[in-house]
Amino acid sequence: MSDTASARVAVTPRTALLALGDVTLIALFVFLGQQEHGTQGLLMTAAPFIIGWLLVAPLAGLYDGSRRDLKSTIGRTAGAWVGAALIGQALRATEVFPGGFAIAFVIVSILVGLVLLVPFRTVVAYTS
């Protein structure tokens, strides 16, 4: 099996469950932040990050149906989240989404997203 990235998305129950898990963890990241800062509007706050993830994760080959080793899974997931978080932050800098741009939040969003997504994807890869 080639280890090159693929933008192909396998339409399978496994892929749907992976996407649901990913989106749930991204929403959890936003929800926890809102609880910490007393803000509301989960959908509009999470949307830029979910959009970023759904754009980048397929390009990283995270939904192509391939089984990968742990090292590849960790690298692809981490890279995809960094890209997704940067896209999310760029979208937040527009008038369409709330939040604006703050470098501190860029760092926090990348770190918290990595803490949530990488272990999830690692467990999935390990148990598959």
Side-chain angles (χ1 to χ4, degrees), residues 28-126:
L28 175 63
F29 146 66
V30 171
F31 176 77
L32 293 173
Q34 288 182 323
Q35 296 304 301
E36 178 70 25
H37 299 288
T39 58
Q40 296 179 353
L42 180 65
L43 182 61
M44 285 301 287
T45 305
F49 298 101
I50 292 169
I51 291 167
W53 180 257
L54 295 177
L55 289 173
V56 177
L59 295 175
L62 292 174
Y63 295 124
D64 68 2
S66 298
R67 304 282 199 258
R68 293 199 169 77
D69 62 39
L70 295 179
K71 184 177 177 182
S72 176
T73 296
I74 291 167
R76 288 171 186 266
T77 303
W81 177 248
V82 170
L86 293 174
I87 289 170
Q89 294 295 341
L91 291 171
R92 284 171 51 93
T94 69
E95 292 185 17
V96 176
F97 297 100
F101 180 87
I103 192 68
F105 187 56
V106 171
I107 295 166
V108 168
S109 65
I110 289 172
L111 293 176
V112 173
L114 289 173
V115 166
L116 293 171
L117 291 167
V118 169
F120 168 68
R121 283 301 190 123
T122 301
V123 167
V124 169
Y126 183 77

